[in-house]
Amino acid sequence: MSATPPGPHGDPLVGSGRRFADDPFSFMRACADSYGDVTRFDLGPRETYLLANPADVERVLVADAERYRKPNFGDGAMGRLLGDGLLMSEGETWQRQRRLANPSFHSRRIGALAGTMVDHTEAQLADWADGEVVDVQLEVARLTVRIIVSAMFGADITDEEVRTVQEKLEPLGARFEPDPRRFLIPDWAPTRENREFAAAVDTLESVIDGIVERRQGTERDPAVDPAGPEGVAVRGPAGDGPAGDGDGDLPMDLLSVLLRARDRGEQTDENLRDELVTLLLAGHDTTALALTYTFYLLSNHPEARERVAREAAAATGGGRAVDDATAADDATAADGAPTAADAREMKYTERVLNESMRLYPPVYTLFREPKVDVKLGGYRIPAGATLMCPQWVVHRSPRWYDDPDAFDPNRWEPERRSRRPRFAFFPFGGGPRHCIGKSFSLLEAKLILAKVCSQYDLEYEGPDLSLRGSLTMHPDHPVPMRIRER
């Protein structure tokens, strides 16, 4: 194996942590531009390696996935927030939780949720007025919170609870922004940031507990439809998780599945809460961010906005015939609302979404830790080191994309896409730990775009877009958009 990879020299104690914290996006790209496929540097006490070649990313996430795990950053905050939910659990715990969750994310069930997604979108748009200015990031985040709770918890969330979730995202996100001082301050220290974070987690868990309590009360009420608010009870197919455990046609939203598993002794209350917190945060934030950046890009590219609007108008036209074979997908077609089948026809909109997630990936880097010494890019990487697989770097590399900083949805035409490495684009990760909610998120985003873009043009009226890194990549300011009726 070769010698240590090249990389920047850091400062005592914090290494390159200060530069990374000041601007993680510029720092990561500068590393790839200066040092190539593998860059070594220290983030505080952690020996870190940044991978800029899709082939190496694919090896870590797919081909040799069993040799890697999620790193333990020695910071209890992540465990306090997400516990042993799907994002952070490992080994048998992760495998069990993934098996339990699979039926809730089966493609047939996701397609049947189109009506829920559209109903919530229509309710939100009913409050919009021609000419007013809205913070589009806040608007779509509120919408995606409602959708994920309805679709995956089988419950409703109150306006007050939505506001509470949004208010607590700020101290939660701030806790995970890069900060070299954090390596020197234990998470139990009574700093203002730690106190606000702990209070935010407690509040978020109380919201989850309230939703679970209401749902359990609903299930005990024989007058309530057991399929839940979304009106769908889909039997999981054979071999797709625990749906063969006697659930029959009982509701298959994730909360129902986990409650039944708890009643069988396969889950604890803590397991259940960890999964619901993980789903609430990850299940709404990434989709909301993808939509925020998409609206921003469409505002700056009127020709693309018009093409999306034409597809949106076609998708919301309604009146298509429905046969038995497509009834589950097209349950709302008769009333003119866009369906999962309509969303599949929104080919250009899908290219726009891909281009948005390429330029502004909500998850901007993935972390892994080798369990044993490995070889990547010709270099030995020691066990226990931190690996960064940065979407932000790979997605904007001139090695894989012509004019990589330009917005060009046509680069997602099949012929052009086929010329790039598979992992030149990985907004949802990859391998066995790929995002379980990918299909849900893409359908949700298309349907929201169909409803919004068929009725309105959104015109950005803010400053040049500035970004900050946390668990996900957020705008560093409000995203004001003026609403114009079409």
Side-chain angles (χ1 to χ4, degrees):
M1 292 187 179
S2 301
T4 301
H9 296 291
D11 300 323
L13 296 179
V14 298
S16 296
R18 195 180 311 278
R19 289 180 60 194
F20 183 76
D22 288 344
D23 187 345
F25 312 108
S26 294
F27 175 78
M28 290 189 295
R29 290 189 75 182
C31 284
D33 291 344
S34 300
Y35 302 109
D37 287 351
V38 185
T39 304
R40 185 207 176 281
F41 50 88
D42 293 323
L43 287 181
R46 297 195 66 89
E47 185 177 356
T48 305
Y49 297 82
L50 184 146
L51 306 179
N53 191 314
D56 291 328
V57 172
E58 185 170 11
R59 284 189 61 187
V60 170
L61 299 182
V62 183
D64 297 335
E66 73 283 352
R67 306 181 74 184
Y68 301 88
R69 60 186 165 220
K70 293 287 186 78
N72 178 358
F73 289 105
D75 183 343
M78 189 73 77
R80 174 73 177 86
L81 177 62
L82 302 179
D84 273 335
L86 274 176
L87 279 179
M88 299 306 299
S89 58
E90 291 285 346
E92 292 182 2
T93 298
W94 175 81
Q95 292 174 5
R96 180 188 70 241
Q97 298 302 102
R98 184 84 176 205
R99 284 195 299 269
L100 281 171
N102 275 338
S104 300
F105 290 91
H106 186 268
S107 58
R108 183 165 174 251
R109 181 173 189 273
I110 297 305
L113 290 169
T116 296
M117 297 172 181
V118 170
D119 288 347
H120 281 291
T121 304
E122 290 176 341
Q124 183 109 350
L125 296 185
D127 294 331
W128 286 15
D130 185 32
E132 76 170 320
V133 175
V134 299
D135 181 346
V136 77
Q137 180 188 7
L138 188 59
E139 287 288 305
V140 293
R142 288 171 176 165
L143 173 56
T144 55
V145 165
R146 293 185 184 282
I147 290 173
I148 199 71
V149 170
S150 181
M152 289 297 164
F153 294 10
D156 289 325
I157 186 170
T158 68
D159 291 343
E160 181 180 355
E161 287 171 333
V162 171
R163 285 192 295 269
T164 298
V165 170
Q166 295 305 305
E167 289 169 0
K168 297 309 175 185
L169 286 179
E170 183 61 32
L172 291 176
R175 182 61 183 78
F176 298 104
E177 291 180 13
D179 184 346
R181 298 171 299 176
R182 193 162 291 125
F183 295 111
L184 308 175
I185 302 174
D187 58 273
W188 50 260
T191 64
R192 176 182 175 183
E193 181 184 64
N194 285 345
R195 291 197 306 271
E196 290 180 346
F197 173 78
V201 174
D202 288 342
T203 301
L204 186 63
E205 289 181 345
S206 71
V207 170
I208 293 291
D209 290 343
I211 293 172
V212 173
E213 185 176 342
R214 291 199 302 273
R215 180 59 193 274
Q216 289 177 304
T218 297
E219 288 191 337
R220 287 191 293 268
D221 184 351
V224 176
D225 181 356
E230 77 270 25
V232 250
V234 178
R235 182 194 301 271
D240 190 28
D245 62 1
D247 292 339
D249 288 329
L250 291 173
M252 294 304 295
D253 59 89
L254 185 61
L255 176 53
S256 292
V257 170
L258 294 178
L259 286 172
R260 293 195 293 271
R262 187 194 63 180
D263 293 343
R264 295 192 300 267
E266 299 172 7
Q267 294 279 283
T268 65
D269 287 336
E270 186 177 7
N271 293 147
L272 189 146
R273 179 186 285 172
D274 289 346
E275 289 302 346
L276 297 183
V277 170
T278 297
L279 184 62
L280 180 63
L281 295 181
H284 96 272
D285 184 49
T286 50
T287 307
L289 289 169
L291 285 165
T292 297
Y293 296 128
T294 299
F295 285 127
Y296 168 78
L297 289 165
L298 290 176
S299 176
N300 292 327
H301 298 86
E303 291 184 6
R305 183 173 66 189
E306 286 303 310
R307 288 191 64 178
V308 170
R310 288 197 295 271
E311 280 196 344
T316 55
R320 292 189 300 109
V322 180
D323 59 31
D324 291 340
T326 60
D329 264 0
D330 294 349
T332 60
D335 65 7
T339 67
D342 293 317
R344 285 194 293 272
E345 296 302 313
M346 298 173 69
K347 304 297 187 183
Y348 184 76
T349 302
E350 183 173 322
R351 294 174 193 170
V352 166
L353 279 169
N354 282 342
E355 184 68 347
S356 173
M357 291 187 291
R358 182 188 73 82
L359 287 167
Y360 298 104
V363 178
Y364 61 94
T365 188
L366 299 175
F367 292 95
R368 292 291 188 271
E369 176 183 296
K371 301 175 186 177
V372 296
D373 290 0
V374 296
K375 184 177 181 181
L376 292 166
Y379 298 103
R380 185 187 70 84
I381 310 295
T386 297
L387 295 179
M388 295 177 68
C389 302
Q391 289 96 329
W392 177 263
V393 171
V394 177
H395 288 190
R396 287 177 174 251
S397 172
R399 296 171 66 184
W400 323 117
Y401 297 96
D402 297 331
D403 198 6
D405 293 328
F407 175 73
D408 178 12
N410 290 328
R411 69 173 84 244
W412 297 100
E413 293 174 347
E415 183 179 352
R416 292 178 65 182
R417 183 171 188 168
S418 67
R419 295 198 293 264
R420 294 190 293 267
R422 177 184 174 194
F423 273 76
F425 182 65
F426 58 110
F428 294 96
R433 299 200 65 141
H434 71 279
C435 176
I436 195 172
K438 176 181 177 180
S439 296
F440 181 96
S441 177
L442 291 176
L443 175 62
E444 180 183 19
K446 282 186 177 182
L447 293 174
I448 292 172
L449 285 168
K451 292 300 299 182
V452 172
C453 295
S454 65
Q455 299 177 57
Y456 302 105
D457 289 332
L458 301 184
E459 299 174 359
Y460 182 62
E461 296 194 350
D464 291 342
L465 194 62
S466 176
L467 304 169
R468 62 183 175 91
S470 179
L471 292 176
T472 49
M473 185 178 73
H474 281 253
D476 199 22
H477 49 76
V479 186
M481 296 253 179
R482 188 170 299 276
I483 299 169
R484 301 290 191 193
E485 287 188 4
R486 293 188 62 83

